[in-house]
Amino acid sequence: MKSLRTASIRTQILVLALLLIVLVSVVAATTEPFIYGRHDKGMAIGLLAGRIERLADQFREARSPEEEAAALNLAAKLHISVEKLPASQISPPDEAEATSADILQRTRRALEDDFFGSLRHLFDKEATSVPLIVKVDRDRALVFHMPTFPRSLWFFPAVASGILKIVIPLIVLAYVSSWLIIRPMAGFAAAAERASTDDSLEKPFVAEGSSEIRSLAASLNTMRSRILQMAESRTRMLSSISHDLRTPLTRLRMRAERCEQPELQRKMLDDLTVLDGMINESLAFLTNAVHDVPSRKVDLSSLLQTIATDFSETGIDVRFSGPRRLKYMCKPESITRAISNLVENASRYATQIDIELQDAGDEGVFVRISDNGPGLTDELKMRVLEPFFKADEARTTGVGGGFGLGLPTAEGIIRKGHGGKLTLLDRTPNGLTVEIVLPPARDSGSGRLSTISGRTVSIA
């Protein structure tokens, strides 16, 4: 079986087709004699034709009314309905006397219908067969009222035979095919889809199944290694460039601070601050792509309260609501960076920001950052998660601007670092809500909802 699993798909299909043929042959050879040996319409017709021939011969040999009555009594014992008829009343009157072959053929013709006639007999309980007229000699004839066979004598054996020979082998073949061919391909497709949606190539493709799938997995793993090496080299290069830029920036800042023209000095320092911020955000974005910090249990409520307090102390109206305690396994530094990026981004376009924490049990942990700004269109909701994309033309309230890395950095921390999901939603009546869904907490504590604004804590 292992050699079949690792064979080519062509070989597997050929083996499965041969298996189907063998299975059908074995089932047919072992079941049809039993089914049709007990419920065969053809055998019943042959038996009935033999009895009709016997009665016709006995009636032909009868020379007196008593002998004719004895023949009719024998027909009654054989459960055959027959009556005597003068030969002059049959049509055509010159019909020859019936031989054994004629009786069998005419019996079959009287009892065997076409497809639609068979259906009529199946659903119509009152359907009757065509009577069979047998000319005994020049003066006498017999009219046999042919029986209507029960449905079980032809329909159910055919159904049972079809199920045993076709349906069951096909089900077995489909199951074996799904296990042997489709399952490895489905698993491989799921792995490829997961790598595509998560932008993650950390786990290699598992090389199992047929030779074609194993060959494809090996090729993709080679491509994966090259992509990872390329991304790592690019990240190291950009990180080095960003780090090396700090030295000339520091020298420029020192020279700008000695400038004797206040207006020129202010402009120079503002530009240097912008450049320094771009370097910091670029380093944070690149570091998040490769940095792996072990998770630890923290109080998520306390962490979010601290973020709200820190922003409130800088004059930004940030409020927190959620349980007093919520123990959660996460990377606290990364979560802090993600939430801070979202709050800072919202503070550029809104005057009030709400951070809400909710423990939804098996559905996970929900964190919502809502603002009262102008919001985003559906098209921009998808584009703002792209690195270096800015939607300032849509959200013009407030001053300042980012570099297009705040939301992508936060989304990467939530999705890659914690296996969660970040979604942008509209807020009623206006504004934007960033909903973060984290996997279910391993250890959560319940408490009353609290609201914090700056240093003031109020219990709801």
Side-chain angles (χ1 to χ4, degrees), residues 47 72 82 90 182 240 288 290 419:
L47 180 62
L72 295 178
V82 61
I90 65 173
I182 306 301
S240 300
N288 175 69
V290 297

Side-chain angles (χ1 to χ4, degrees), residues 249 262 399:
L249 280 177
V399 296

Side-chain angles (χ1 to χ4, degrees), residues 9-23:
I9 296 179
R10 179 184 300 175
T11 302
Q12 291 176 346
I13 294 176
L14 178 60
V15 171
L16 290 176
L18 294 175
L19 177 63
L20 178 62
I21 295 173
V22 172
L23 187 59

Side-chain angles (χ1 to χ4, degrees), residues 307 311 335-349 353 355 367-371 385 395 406-411 414 422-424 432-436:
I307 295 174
F311 276 96
I335 290 291
T336 300
R337 181 192 300 173
I339 301 299
S340 299
N341 284 352
L342 295 174
V343 173
E344 184 178 356
N345 182 75
S347 66
R348 299 190 182 103
Y349 315 105
I353 303 168
I355 302 176
V367 181
R368 299 181 181 90
I369 297 92
S370 305
D371 63 63
L385 296 178
R395 299 178 61 150
L407 281 174
T409 300
E411 197 269 343
I414 298 303
L422 186 147
T423 309
L424 302 179
L432 183 71
T433 296
V434 181
E435 182 180 75
I436 297 173

Side-chain angles (χ1 to χ4, degrees), residues 409-429:
T409 300
E411 197 269 343
I413 292 173
I414 298 303
R415 178 169 53 86
K416 297 180 181 179
H418 296 81
K421 182 180 179 181
L422 186 147
T423 309
L424 302 179
L425 306 171
D426 292 326
R427 184 188 185 188
T428 305

Side-chain angles (χ1 to χ4, degrees), residues 21-296:
I21 295 173
V22 172
L23 187 59
V24 170
S25 301
V26 171
V27 171
T30 55
T31 60
E32 285 195 4
F34 172 76
I35 294 176
Y36 288 104
R38 297 181 58 186
H39 303 287
D40 185 29
K41 187 176 180 180
M43 292 180 61
I45 291 176
L47 180 62
L48 179 61
R51 292 178 178 178
I52 292 176
E53 182 182 2
R54 176 184 172 186
L55 291 172
D57 291 341
Q58 185 173 350
F59 202 86
R60 186 179 296 112
E61 295 174 356
R63 301 304 178 189
S64 64
E66 289 78 11
E67 293 180 353
E68 292 180 355
L72 295 178
N73 290 334
L74 177 61
K77 293 179 181 179
L78 295 177
H79 303 288
I80 297 177
S81 177
V82 61
E83 58 180 331
K84 179 182 175 182
L85 185 71
S88 58
Q89 296 184 8
I90 65 173
S91 179
D94 56 347
E95 181 179 357
E97 298 180 10
T99 62
S100 299
D102 293 337
I103 292 177
L104 178 60
Q105 183 179 2
R106 292 169 61 187
T107 303
R108 260 181 213 287
R109 191 164 54 245
L111 293 177
E112 289 185 344
D113 298 320
D114 56 8
F115 176 76
F116 296 101
S118 300
L119 289 180
R120 187 183 73 251
H121 280 273
L122 176 64
F123 297 103
D124 186 5
K125 295 183 179 180
E126 298 181 356
T128 58
S129 300
V130 179
L132 174 63
I133 301 176
V134 178
K135 186 177 181 181
V136 177
D137 50 30
R138 185 176 57 183
D139 299 323
R140 295 175 298 176
L142 293 176
V143 179
F144 292 91
H145 299 284
M146 307 304 290
T148 301
F149 285 97
R151 299 168 180 82
S152 58
L153 286 182
W154 65 277
F155 182 74
F156 294 112
V159 171
S161 177
I163 292 176
L164 289 174
K165 290 190 299 184
I166 300 176
V167 177
I168 293 180
L170 286 179
I171 292 175
V172 173
L173 180 64
Y175 176 79
V176 175
S177 301
S178 64
W179 176 79
L180 189 64
I181 301 176
I182 306 301
R183 186 179 61 87
M185 295 181 64
F188 190 83
E193 180 70 19
R194 187 165 54 250
S196 175
T197 55
D198 295 345
D199 298 330
S200 174
L201 296 173
E202 296 178 358
K203 295 182 180 180
F205 293 97
V206 180
E208 63 176 6
S210 63
S211 58
E212 291 86 352
I213 296 179
R214 288 185 284 112
S215 176
L216 180 59
S219 301
L220 289 178
N221 284 329
T222 302
M223 181 183 67
R224 163 188 163 276
S225 300
R226 294 175 180 174
I227 292 175
L228 288 177
Q229 291 175 1
M230 185 188 306
E232 186 177 355
S233 300
R234 181 205 62 180
T235 302
R236 281 199 304 265
M237 179 189 67
L238 294 177
S239 299
S240 300
I241 293 174
S242 299
H243 184 270
D244 293 340
L245 284 175
R246 292 188 180 277
T247 301
L249 280 177
T250 302
R251 289 199 299 263
L252 287 174
R253 184 178 294 277
M254 293 174 61
R255 292 169 183 171
E257 289 176 351
R258 292 196 297 267
C259 181
E260 297 179 355
Q261 302 180 24
E263 184 64 23
L264 179 60
Q265 182 189 49
R266 184 185 62 80
K267 292 181 179 179
M268 293 173 63
L269 290 176
D270 288 344
D271 289 340
L272 290 173
T273 301
V274 172
L275 289 174
D276 190 58
M278 293 177 65
I279 293 175
N280 289 334
E281 286 202 23
S282 298
L283 283 174
F285 179 76
L286 295 173
T287 303
N288 175 69
V290 297
H291 191 49
D292 189 13
V293 178
S295 300
R296 68 176 188 268

